Amino acid sequence: MSALFDVSGKVACVTGASSGLGRAAASLLAASGARVIGVARRAEELAAWRADTQGETACVSANLADRQGLKAVAHAVCTPFGPVDILINAAGINTRQHADEVTEDGWDVTLDLNLAAPFFLAQSLVTGMKAKGWGRIINFASLQSQRAFPNGIAYGASKGGVEQMTRAMAEAWSSHGITANAVAPGFFRTELTGPVFADPALAQRNADQTCVGRNGEPADLDGPLMFFCSPASDYVTGQTLFVDGGFTAK
Ligand SMILES: NC(=O)c1ccc[n+]([C@@H]2O[C@H](COP(=O)([O-])OP(=O)(O)OC[C@H]3O[C@@H](n4cnc5c(N)ncnc54)[C@H](OP(=O)(O)O)[C@@H]3O)[C@@H](O)[C@H]2O)c1
């Protein structure tokens, strides 16, 4: 492993580690020698992730949409291995409510989980990163950070916020050696995108919209994530990288 991309010995917190892209990111970091704490609600799925994953891991079961609990989550996350070096905010939901039908609860849970939790977790965890003079925050943006899709108003608002919040985190904390960047995946088959992939014609239309000609596979995010988590990206901050096979390029 080149020192450029070395994360061995780093302490990494990955939210959404019970499923999909968060789980893949948590496994990638553990396999790369980081000590990884996975966070999500489903304790049994987190246990299954740990059982399938080589390396040093721990988990915290918590509802990240409960803003009042986030300080306690941040404390619990720092308990197994000490202060966190790398925070990956991958937990997210899409309630897929049409603009005419959006409920207050649907709006609140989307904004609380997708936007408020990444911020308040980061706010707590940067204290430890500042003490080390080094840290990494990687947020999960989306095609919907920049594009409108059907039934996506709450999700799109949250993900548009994630892109701007990433710039603002960079402005606030990069002088302490803490970079903040985001990945914006195209279409990847996960629980979240179940409704999209359940419609083969829609999934194919999305694949055809890319330059590469296919939808994403979890491993497509490995390189971008290792770049953002490691010293390779020391001078890159406030950026959102679209890992979308060129979806947004055409
Ligand atoms: N898949 C894609 O094509 C795609 C595209 C663009 C962006 N993204 C973004 O990528 C990230 C990961 O999504 P995914 O596709 O991997 O979805 P996923 O498989 O549905 O995973 C979502 C994760 O979020 C966790 N989560 C949901 N509600 C939570 C809550 N209240 N508290 C704590 N954790 C909660 C889930 O765990 P529990 O249910 O166990 O709590 C799960 O681990 C999301 O931010 C999503 O917006 C995905």
Side-chain angles (χ1 to χ4, degrees):
M1 169 71 68
S2 154
L4 263 183
F5 295 97
D6 188 10
V7 296
S8 55
K10 298 292 188 193
V11 178
C13 169
V14 182
T15 73
S18 63
S19 174
L21 306 181
R23 181 178 167 140
S27 296
L28 172 73
L29 286 176
S32 305
R35 292 171 285 169
V36 183
I37 307 101
V39 185
R41 289 168 303 179
R42 289 171 293 174
E44 66 284 5
E45 297 297 336
L46 289 169
W49 160 68
R50 291 191 67 204
D52 288 348
T53 302
Q54 290 179 339
E56 279 189 89
T57 61
C59 60
V60 172
S61 174
N63 177 8
L64 296 172
D66 171 16
R67 201 180 301 174
Q68 307 311 319
L70 292 177
K71 275 201 165 64
V73 172
H75 180 76
V77 158
C78 294
T79 302
F81 306 124
V84 164
D85 302 286
I86 298 166
L87 169 64
I88 298 188
N89 287 307
I93 53 161
N94 186 351
T95 55
R96 300 182 193 278
Q97 294 173 321
H98 187 273
D100 294 345
E101 312 290 340
V102 170
T103 60
E104 289 191 18
D105 284 351
W107 180 269
D108 285 347
V109 73
T110 306
L111 273 290
D112 282 345
L113 180 65
N114 294 4
L115 190 57
F119 172 67
F120 285 106
L121 267 186
Q123 186 193 52
S124 289
L125 295 175
V126 293
T127 306
M129 296 180 191
K130 284 179 182 173
K132 301 185 196 200
W134 195 93
R136 292 286 184 266
I137 301 166
I138 297 94
N139 298 316
F140 268 70
S142 164
L143 297 176
Q144 296 202 44
S145 297
Q146 295 197 354
R147 300 283 172 88
F149 285 82
N151 304 327
I153 192 158
Y155 183 80
S158 72
K159 293 299 183 177
V162 165
E163 190 172 2
Q164 176 53 25
M165 178 178 70
T166 300
R167 295 187 192 99
M169 286 175 161
E171 189 284 328
W173 296 322
S174 295
S175 62
H176 297 273
I178 303 164
T179 63
N181 292 290
V183 288
F187 283 95
F188 289 65
R189 187 193 293 267
T190 64
E191 290 177 19
L192 182 102
T193 51
V196 176
F197 283 89
D199 179 346
L202 176 58
Q204 189 57 49
R205 276 204 303 282
N206 289 331
D208 291 343
Q209 175 58 30
T210 68
C211 299
V212 170
R214 63 170 175 82
N215 289 310
E217 299 292 339
D220 290 323
L221 281 162
D222 288 0
L225 286 173
M226 288 307 294
F227 173 66
F228 282 139
C229 287
S230 67
S233 59
D234 271 349
Y235 199 57
V236 180
T237 193
Q239 302 303 307
T240 295
L241 178 60
F242 281 74
V243 187
D244 65 355
F247 191 105
T248 45
K250 72 175 196 180

